[in-house]
Amino acid sequence: MSALPVTVIGGYLGAGKTTLVNHLLRHAGGRRLAVLVNEFGTLPIDADLIEAEGDTLISIAGGCVCCSFGNDLTAALMQMRQLDPRPDHVLIESSGVAIPGSIMATAALLAEVRCDGVVVLADAGDIRRAFDDPYIGDTIARQLAQADIVILNKMDLAPEPPETLTAWVAAQAPGAAVVPCRDAQVPAEVVIGLGPHPVEAHAHAHDHADGLFESIVLTPAASEDAAGLARQIATGPYGVVRAKGWLRTPEGMALIQVAGRQGTATPASPESREGLVCIGLKGQLDIAALHALAARETASG
Amino acid sequence: MAGTTIYSAKTILTMNPARPRATHVAVREGRILGAGTLEELAGWGDYTLDERFADKVLMPGLVEGHAHTSEGSLWRYTYLGWFDRMDPAGKTWDGLKTIDAVLERLREAEGQLSGDTPLCGWGLDPIYMDNQRVNRQHLDQVSATRPIGVMHASGHILNVNTKALELAGLMKPGVNHPGIPLGPDGYPTGELKGPDVMTPVGPHVGFDRSLMDCDEMGLRDFAKLCVRTGVTTVTDLASRLEPETVEMMLRVTGEETYPARVVPLRFFLGLPPKELVAEVVRLKALATDRCRLGRIKVVADGSIQGFSARLKWPGYYNGAPNGLWYVAPEQMAEIYERALEAGVQVHTHTNGDQATELALDMLAPALMKHPSRDHRFTLQHCQLADAAQFRRMKALGMCVNLFANHHYYWGDEHYRLTVGPERATRMNACRTALEQGVPMTIHSDAPVTPLGPLFTAWAAVNRITASGRVQGEHERIGVDDALWAVTMGAAYTLHLDGEVGSIETGKRADFAVLEQDPTTVEPMALKDVPVWGTVQGGRVFAASAI
């Protein structure tokens, strides 16, 4: 069985974590999501999505579930692995004061789990004030510093020019992709990555959700050093928020996955379809540079 | 128990200022008719004179305002602490002074286990052994085939052997987690720091349940410790209070021979504030005399020695980053507001001074919305509060329960490492609390330190550290104040001061039965006053017979 991809969704109270989770459940594109919350407080799932409610597990439309993990995340993740059918992706919604990197580190202790990004939400209308709050400012700073992707939500409430705020957030989250939005309306593939068939999905998705994102597919692609290429795409100035795809290496096919500043490569089956899809914000995704990078890799590979 | 029994005693310390001393106390229906001379008490009518305490000293039953009944459960594991400690059966286990002695005791315990039962130890505290790290190779010397887990005294670190790491799937190179240090070979050393990594491994070494919630045997064993330490009312701070736990606690404490009154507080996590308060109101209606349900425990921050407490500027003496919040300010504010509105009391764990400040800042506006003149919201531990914060507690009608034992066990660490000399000297400022008029008690936080209010009182009176230094002479309090703190002081923080905490007419017949008068022994000998047992609700419990 392949490793279970896990995304941690962090951020302070009011940043929009629950809104984002519900948005993802509505736009999962056929993927079965499992949402893990610390505890069932105020019900974390929109009522119209709920099919059945148990003490610890809520069944959600589309084969999704929501589960509380209390103080034992490991046990909850093991339980998710044993569900039949198994979820395609796990979202861990952390509490407002939790340090999301610690949650991911704990999830990563399980060999059967693949870390698929720490996504931290920030309230554009409040983040500057909250950042200077004597009580919670340093907690928010820690959350941002650990983000692979920052979703800068509620941009309609930003008290300053969007570029200024985005640049400031980017400085607090070195290396992370910063995605401004309203009402947590972010394409699912930005938050939880591309699904099992990224190239096909790319062919069909000509405009991503509200048209703020665009994607390209790099193909054919080959590389001497897939892991190095993954890191380059993640950390270089290409404007890539998410990437996924397969390429040839001297050792065989490799799967590249990028979540914000994190890029990884893992061995893949020889039948994998070649091609690497990269998503970024329109105007920020540097298509020419990415094609040049791919061409260089292919030449050297 | 319809008749009247009059007990004679060598002396009776009543904590009733109008009549501080007596020679006799009359008991009817589990309550005190009065304390005085035999002639005075004979006026109540027919009585039986019981002279079994004629050479003993009676005090009000001691009240422990911050303990966890899980101490009872821990004693099923092997004790490995540095200090001598008494178990529920009354056996005192010698403190272990070297890693070799720890391993030797584990070997003895291992020899008594059958099959592949895990071996569990608790109470290890390497800071007294020059911070020598225990690693899996040490524990492998005890057994390479049986999983072994050793919990540290702090409860924040678990040491395991190689077998346990294998069972947990962690015996591999490349583990990347701040709570799992790696050895030079790239494999985990076997030290697991923090609940994030202890929880997944715990079940493999026999720590398979939340240490926060008591079980039936643990609750019974804990009560034995109460009798041995003169405690008749004890808090369980805090429990998740799941329905089956509540049922069990009500049943066990309701048994005719259960010797203590338990005050369990509902841990705040698991329900949003509105439902939390509603649940505690529901629990309150289930309360019995010996199981006082109906209070909330909030945890604001972590521990000072674990560097997870929230400190005000300038933070930790060794430069460690500030600690962690376990509650968001908005969440604390909402719990306070709703609890005040519903008349539910909240006790809040605040170790660092910033956490204390937050509680003060959140309670003040909540009180403006729901003025409650007798809320007695209590700050638990509150170790670093300064004088200004005590003045605010007084102004807001708060109580404080200070961790007086901490000086003894970790005072040297606080001085040298965590908060530095100045703040270490004013930590757990008992005198300041009293001078500012904040209702105060002191506690053990058992199992973090041993249950024993007389020891806690000794710690507040002397402020001696484990290395023998007096730390914070100015904050020492007198013996009378300390004894008041562990009786009336604690009862007040639980709204039980009209029922327990002193020996006077109408109150519960709860007594600590002592072999010596704690007010006449040397203050340095306060902790050594032998406890014969207790009387609880008029029922006599000899430590030697439980």
Side-chain angles (χ1 to χ4, degrees):
Chain A
M1 215 187 308
S2 61
L4 188 59
V6 170
T7 300
V8 174
I9 302 203
Y12 197 65
L13 306 186
K17 296 190 293 293
T18 304
T19 312
L20 177 66
V21 164
N22 281 286
H23 171 73
L24 295 174
L25 288 169
R26 289 179 195 282
H27 300 92
R31 276 190 269 182
R32 284 186 305 273
L33 304 184
V35 180
L36 299 185
V37 295
N38 248 142
E39 52 206 26
F40 287 162
T42 313
L43 198 59
I45 306 295
D46 290 346
D48 64 299
L49 290 173
I50 294 175
E51 291 186 340
E53 257 182 88
D55 278 349
T56 56
L57 195 79
I58 296 174
S59 301
I60 300 168
C64 300
V65 294
C66 177
C67 178
S68 61
F69 62 89
N71 62 351
D72 198 346
L73 177 63
T74 310
L77 285 170
M78 296 299 280
Q79 191 198 344
M80 292 304 106
R81 276 181 53 75
Q82 284 150 13
L83 283 183
D84 186 19
R86 198 188 83 164
D88 298 310
H89 202 109
V90 173
L91 297 172
I92 303 174
E93 182 182 339
S94 69
S95 85
V97 287
I99 307 298
S102 308
I103 295 176
M104 189 56 105
T106 302
L109 292 178
L110 289 171
E112 306 84 353
V113 158
R114 180 176 70 78
C115 301
D116 190 64
V118 171
V119 175
V120 173
L121 283 108
D123 176 349
D126 192 50
I127 183 76
R128 295 274 236 177
R129 183 208 60 79
F131 201 83
D132 289 333
D133 184 283
Y135 290 124
I136 52 150
D138 64 322
T139 300
I140 289 173
R142 277 187 224 184
Q143 292 175 344
L144 287 176
Q146 293 175 341
D148 298 318
I149 298 171
V150 177
I151 296 183
L152 187 51
N153 192 20
K154 306 190 185 181
M155 280 305 280
D156 46 324
L157 303 177
E160 61 196 299
E163 321 71 70
T164 321
L165 183 59
T166 308
W168 179 82
V169 168
Q172 311 313 321
V178 180
V179 177
C181 71
R182 293 175 170 204
D183 303 319
Q185 300 287 306
V186 184
E189 54 267 36
V190 167
V191 185
I192 56 173
L194 290 140
H197 309 292
V199 177
E200 290 82 344
H202 166 78
H204 294 113
H206 292 294
D207 59 335
H208 287 277
D210 50 10
L212 289 174
F213 291 84
E214 60 185 331
S215 60
I216 58 161
V217 58
L218 302 177
T219 184
S223 177
E224 278 282 302
D225 175 13
L229 176 63
R231 277 195 299 274
Q232 257 185 290
I233 294 174
T235 58
Y238 304 107
V240 173
V241 179
R242 281 278 186 182
K244 181 176 179 181
W246 291 266
L247 46 72
R248 279 178 287 112
T249 72
E251 293 79 34
M253 295 300 284
L255 168 63
I256 282 191
Q257 301 192 78
V258 170
R261 60 178 184 172
Q262 298 284 346
T264 58
T266 47
S269 120
E271 288 91 56
S272 308
R273 176 169 171 176
E274 237 172 78
L276 178 60
V277 178
C278 300
I279 304 177
L281 283 160
K282 257 185 198 162
Q284 288 188 19
L285 191 68
D286 193 339
I287 297 172
L290 282 166
H291 278 301
L293 179 66
R296 272 204 306 281
E297 287 288 320
T298 306
S300 68
Chain B
M1 230 188 285
T4 300
T5 303
I6 295 181
Y7 294 99
S8 61
K10 188 153 76 184
T11 185
I12 300 175
L13 294 168
T14 67
M15 297 290 156
N16 169 10
R19 176 166 276 201
R21 294 269 172 176
T23 57
H24 293 75
V25 56
V27 174
R28 182 191 291 169
E29 294 169 9
R31 296 182 181 209
I32 297 163
L33 278 172
T37 63
L38 184 59
E39 293 71 28
E40 289 171 331
L41 297 174
W44 287 103
D46 288 348
Y47 64 88
T48 307
L49 182 64
D50 190 326
E51 297 192 288
R52 75 176 97 185
F53 301 139
D55 63 343
K56 314 286 183 209
V57 174
L58 299 188
M59 267 189 76
L62 304 177
V63 183
E64 170 55 82
H66 189 145
H68 301 272
T69 53
S70 57
E71 160 124 28
S73 308
L74 277 175
W75 279 106
R76 300 207 287 277
Y77 309 132
T78 304
Y79 176 66
L80 302 171
W82 171 264
F83 298 94
D84 296 354
R85 190 152 172 167
M86 185 173 62
D87 72 12
K91 173 181 173 178
T92 296
W93 293 75
D94 291 337
L96 302 176
K97 309 301 184 192
T98 63
I99 302 287
D100 283 343
V102 168
L103 298 180
E104 185 51 40
R105 184 169 288 169
L106 280 169
R107 259 183 228 109
E108 285 165 30
E110 205 268 342
Q112 293 163 21
L113 293 176
S114 58
D116 51 5
T117 315
L119 174 60
C120 311
W122 68 287
L124 183 69
D125 211 339
I127 65 165
Y128 304 111
M129 305 176 194
D130 297 327
N131 267 317
Q132 288 179 76
R133 309 323 286 178
V134 175
N135 56 39
R136 63 188 165 86
Q137 286 86 357
H138 287 119
L139 298 180
D140 288 348
Q141 294 169 34
V142 177
S143 174
T145 54
R146 184 191 299 286
I148 303 175
V150 172
M151 186 74 78
H152 284 217
S154 68
H156 296 295
I157 299 179
L158 177 69
N159 275 109
V160 299
N161 66 347
T162 303
K163 180 71 184 174
L165 287 170
E166 284 169 4
L167 290 173
L170 291 175
M171 194 53 203
K172 57 187 179 188
V175 173
N176 179 15
H177 194 290
I180 305 183
L182 304 180
D185 58 359
Y187 285 81
T189 63
E191 192 170 68
L192 305 172
K193 297 173 170 177
D196 288 351
V197 290
M198 288 159 59
T199 312
V201 183
H204 299 290
V205 293
F207 290 107
D208 53 354
R209 41 184 301 285
S210 161
L211 282 175
M212 184 186 281
D213 297 333
C214 69
D215 57 8
E216 182 160 345
M217 186 176 169
L219 187 60
R220 293 179 196 283
D221 281 345
F222 188 63
K224 293 180 184 173
L225 285 169
C226 291
V227 172
R228 296 187 191 285
T229 54
V231 172
T232 54
T233 298
V234 63
T235 50
D236 185 15
L237 212 99
S239 167
R240 290 184 186 272
L241 293 179
E242 304 286 355
E244 54 275 23
T245 306
V246 172
E247 180 279 322
M248 181 276 288
M249 292 183 95
L250 286 168
R251 176 169 50 79
V252 171
T253 58
E255 288 167 4
E256 202 39 56
T257 54
Y258 195 81
R261 179 179 297 100
V262 181
V263 185
L265 275 70
R266 204 320 184 154
F267 190 53
F268 75 113
L269 286 179
L271 289 172
K274 187 177 172 193
E275 280 81 359
L276 171 70
V277 171
E279 166 67 2
V280 172
V281 168
R282 187 188 72 81
L283 288 172
K284 206 172 180 178
L286 302 176
T288 60
D289 171 34
R290 289 204 288 277
C291 189
R292 299 298 182 101
L293 296 156
R295 293 169 180 81
I296 292 171
K297 163 82 174 291
V298 170
V299 175
D301 66 343
S303 74
I304 298 169
Q305 71 273 31
F307 300 98
S308 52
R310 292 289 312 190
L311 267 55
K312 294 209 300 191
W313 193 89
Y316 287 101
Y317 191 49
N318 71 347
N322 209 346
L324 299 171
W325 291 113
Y326 294 130
V327 65
E330 294 88 338
Q331 194 184 4
M332 181 191 271
E334 190 183 349
I335 293 171
Y336 283 2
E337 277 180 29
R338 291 185 182 278
L340 285 173
E341 188 179 14
V344 168
Q345 194 196 22
V346 181
H347 288 236
T348 307
H349 159 128
T350 65
N351 258 319
D353 48 1
Q354 194 191 30
T356 293
E357 191 84 0
L358 177 68
L360 294 164
D361 280 356
M362 296 300 113
L363 185 60
L367 275 169
M368 299 284 277
K369 270 192 198 164
H370 301 288
S372 177
R373 295 191 182 281
D374 196 25
H375 58 80
R376 304 192 200 179
F377 278 24
T378 300
L379 294 179
Q380 292 285 349
H381 305 322
C382 200
Q383 298 203 69
L384 278 179
D386 61 20
Q389 291 180 327
F390 282 107
R391 287 188 282 272
R392 289 186 69 194
M393 286 174 225
K394 169 66 178 168
L396 293 172
M398 299 190 92
C399 309
V400 70
N401 190 352
L402 296 169
F403 203 162
N405 285 9
H406 232 264
H407 302 286
Y408 181 66
Y409 290 102
W410 290 286
D412 295 313
E413 290 291 294
H414 292 318
Y415 189 92
R416 151 181 104 65
L417 198 63
T418 65
V419 298
E422 180 172 335
R423 286 175 297 176
T425 304
R426 74 137 200 263
M427 273 176 81
N428 293 295
C430 293
R431 169 157 304 286
T432 300
L434 293 177
E435 283 176 355
Q436 301 306 332
V438 181
M440 183 205 70
T441 182
I442 49 181
H443 67 270
S444 67
D445 198 12
V448 177
T449 79
L451 184 69
L454 290 178
F455 177 84
T456 307
W458 171 87
V461 165
N462 297 292
R463 287 181 73 102
I464 304 267
T465 68
S467 71
R469 292 184 304 115
V470 174
Q471 188 160 294
E473 214 166 322
H474 169 75
E475 292 293 349
R476 294 189 300 190
I477 58 174
V479 170
D480 288 346
D481 283 336
L483 294 177
W484 179 271
V486 295
T487 52
M488 285 302 291
Y492 185 88
T493 65
L494 300 169
H495 281 109
L496 290 177
D497 50 315
E499 280 187 67
V500 303
S502 64
I503 298 177
E504 56 187 303
T505 300
K507 287 193 156 181
R508 304 273 171 185
D510 292 358
F511 314 133
V513 183
L514 310 177
E515 300 284 2
Q516 292 174 329
D517 183 342
T519 63
T520 59
V521 300
E522 281 299 312
M524 273 302 285
L526 190 53
K527 64 181 170 59
D528 304 317
V529 170
V531 177
W532 177 90
T534 60
V535 176
Q536 209 277 354
R539 302 165 305 153
V540 178
F541 298 98
S544 61
I546 54 166

